[in-house]
Amino acid sequence: MVYKILLTHAVNPASMARFLSVTAVAALTYATPSHASDHVSDSILPRQTVVLNPLSFAVLGNNGSFRNDSITQFFNPTSTEPPFFQVFHPSFLSILGFNASIRVVASNASFAFAHEAPIWDRTTDEVFFASNAGGALGHSDINHNNFVGKISLSAVSQATESSVDFSSPVNVPVTELSLPDTIQMANGGTGPYHGSLLLVTQGRGQLPPSMALVNPQEPHNVTVLLDNFFGRQFNSLNDVKVHPTSGKFFFTDVRYGFLQHFRPDPLLPSQVYRFDPDTGAVRVVADGFDLCNGIAFTQDGKTAYVTDTGALGGFLGNNQTAPATIYQFDVDPKSQAFSNRRVFAYVDTGIPDGIQLDNNSNVYAGCGDGVHVWNDEGTLLGKFYVGSLSANMVFAGKGRLVILADTAIYLAQIAAEGVDLAKF
């Protein structure tokens, strides 16, 4: 069992004791609801767990070890070897559950094959994803398209059943999809939507960014739904979600293709759009972003979340004073325009990329050191700490969170269940 508690000279022992007592009782209550008590022990906490009381690092002191870079320096004061669960609030334990575990299930150290567009297909129990388009180890540029692949979670189950150690890595096969050239630099995905993968692409060179439906089965035929805004090409479409009540498509458009040297100069602001698949109508619903990125909705569709990753500027370099922020919006019940913009969370490491919600309205975002989780009030509950950039994640049914970390895919076995993104 991996279980650490950070203690420093600045900690009030009574405060730490209260935090640990609440944390452990919360775990005990989840594990054995009818036998919770005030008597707790280390064994109650999930394996691979590190508990950090925020009071323990609220003051580092004049000679403290401060971070100078939020992109390359991570917050791991216990120097624990990843992957592990970093707990900042007792509520994170109800998300993890008593038997939580996290491990690598596919990897390739020389190729960022698993970066974006995760989609779980429940009919085949497969997860689809796209490689890093134009980024480090992406093996793609203005002359080369990126990679779209999949893994079988049934194969993962078989591989892990024979594994003695619950955290030891396995490496299941990754299958590449052979797609038509209308799919260029795939970057966002959701669904399945009526049996198809709903993808948005960044485009490449003069080949336009687009939104398309892709058959998950061979021959993977493609139907392009949108590739322009009244005759102008989009910049580089980044992420997409289907609104849970209206069924309309919402997507972000940003200039990352230009910033990574595989798209021409931007023609439009970084904005969020709404597309009606029935009429073809497209309109802007939110603007004012530096680099808008991930998007997600609450289950009732009344609230939207959009990430702004302006701190990661491609060839312009990183800028820690630019946004690394999740914004929250109200969704107008009639027009579905976004309003009442407010800061939901600012991340401490890297930038918040892809974003998902569980069915208790907790918010998950891929960040610089793993997946961060907040409650609906914006309080950081904990992290799935993998020690590297994790651009996106997707729930694969109840109790399975699949995390894309460029050169590796992680599977976290937890208690939480994600919002159902499939539209059949």
Side-chain angles (χ1 to χ4, degrees):
M1 175 180 65
V2 177
Y3 168 49
K4 293 187 178 182
I5 305 168
L6 175 64
L7 294 171
T8 75
H9 66 280
V11 179
N12 181 312
S15 297
M16 176 60 80
R18 285 195 298 272
F19 178 77
L20 292 177
S21 177
V22 171
T23 300
V25 168
L28 178 63
T29 301
Y30 178 85
T32 53
S34 61
H35 298 91
S37 71
D38 291 331
H39 178 70
V40 296
S41 67
D42 294 0
S43 62
I44 293 171
L45 292 167
R47 299 166 296 192
Q48 299 172 275
T49 298
V50 173
V51 176
L52 296 178
N53 183 352
L55 286 173
S56 69
F57 55 85
V59 177
L60 296 181
N62 291 347
N63 298 316
S65 179
F66 294 94
R67 298 162 62 203
N68 296 316
D69 193 314
S70 66
I71 307 296
T72 62
Q73 296 176 350
F74 301 162
F75 186 69
N76 182 11
T78 58
S79 299
T80 304
E81 185 71 20
F84 63 91
F85 306 114
Q86 202 173 53
V87 179
F88 296 101
H89 190 280
S91 298
F92 195 47
L93 292 170
S94 63
I95 290 172
L96 298 178
F98 182 67
N99 294 314
S101 65
I102 182 170
R103 71 166 94 206
V104 172
V105 295
S107 62
N108 183 341
S110 64
F111 181 28
F113 69 97
H115 185 71
E116 289 277 10
I119 304 171
W120 175 59
D121 186 348
R122 71 177 64 182
T123 62
T124 59
D125 202 20
E126 295 173 321
V127 173
F128 296 80
F129 46 85
S131 67
N132 193 339
L137 298 181
H139 302 330
S140 56
D141 52 35
I142 194 168
N143 297 311
H144 303 89
N145 199 4
N146 75 331
F147 164 97
V148 177
K150 66 178 182 178
I151 61 169
S152 165
L153 292 185
S154 297
V156 171
S157 296
Q158 294 175 3
T160 54
E161 282 175 2
S162 60
S163 174
V164 176
D165 184 355
F166 61 86
S167 61
S168 62
V170 298
N171 198 4
V172 302
V174 175
T175 302
E176 181 176 6
L177 276 63
S178 179
L179 300 179
D181 61 8
T182 47
I183 301 298
Q184 294 290 330
M185 299 296 204
N187 197 79
T190 192
Y193 179 79
H194 298 302
S196 294
L197 312 177
L198 177 58
L199 296 182
V200 293
T201 76
Q202 297 191 72
R204 183 168 58 87
Q206 293 301 320
L207 299 173
S210 66
M211 176 188 297
L213 295 175
V214 178
N215 187 345
Q217 305 295 325
E218 292 182 345
H220 305 303
N221 44 300
V222 170
T223 302
V224 176
L225 304 176
L226 180 70
D227 69 0
N228 72 94
F229 182 75
F230 295 93
R232 277 186 290 174
Q233 287 191 11
F234 293 102
N235 299 324
S236 290
L237 303 192
N238 193 281
D239 200 6
V240 62
K241 287 292 193 307
V242 179
H243 190 270
T245 60
S246 72
K248 310 310 180 190
F249 301 167
F250 288 74
F251 61 94
T252 57
D253 183 41
V254 70
R255 58 186 185 276
Y256 269 123
F258 164 74
L259 293 174
Q260 295 179 331
H261 298 299
F262 61 83
R263 283 283 292 154
D265 292 350
L267 299 175
L268 295 160
S270 294
Q271 302 181 126
V272 181
Y273 295 80
R274 175 185 183 267
F275 175 72
D276 187 333
D278 298 319
T279 67
V282 60
R283 57 160 299 193
V284 174
V285 294
D287 65 359
F289 300 95
D290 191 337
L291 296 170
C292 54
N293 200 311
I295 185 170
F297 293 98
T298 53
Q299 293 185 81
D300 59 11
K302 295 180 179 180
T303 303
Y305 296 89
V306 179
T307 67
D308 192 327
T309 56
L312 212 61
F315 73 82
L316 298 178
N318 300 328
N319 180 359
Q320 294 185 90
T321 66
T325 307
I326 303 173
Y327 293 101
Q328 187 181 56
F329 300 83
D330 297 331
V331 181
D332 185 90
K334 184 175 182 180
S335 69
Q336 295 192 308
F338 293 2
S339 64
N340 190 22
R341 169 179 170 149
R342 61 269 189 191
V343 172
F344 174 75
Y346 172 79
V347 307
D348 73 272
T349 303
I351 46 89
D353 198 325
I355 189 168
Q356 307 284 5
L357 273 70
D358 68 21
N359 60 5
N360 287 317
S361 299
N362 297 306
V363 178
Y364 299 61
C367 299
D369 54 1
V371 173
H372 299 191
V373 184
W374 298 262
N375 65 13
D376 58 3
E377 297 176 353
T379 299
L380 180 65
L381 304 181
K383 301 180 182 181
F384 297 86
Y385 192 104
V386 302
S388 65
L389 172 69
S390 304
N392 223 312
M393 82 302 306
V394 68
F395 280 94
K398 181 176 175 59
R400 297 189 302 186
L401 182 69
V402 177
I403 300 171
L404 306 183
D406 276 3
T407 58
I409 298 177
Y410 291 81
L411 175 63
Q413 301 274 9
I414 57 176
E417 182 175 3
V419 171
D420 189 2
L421 301 177
K423 304 295 178 184
F424 289 101

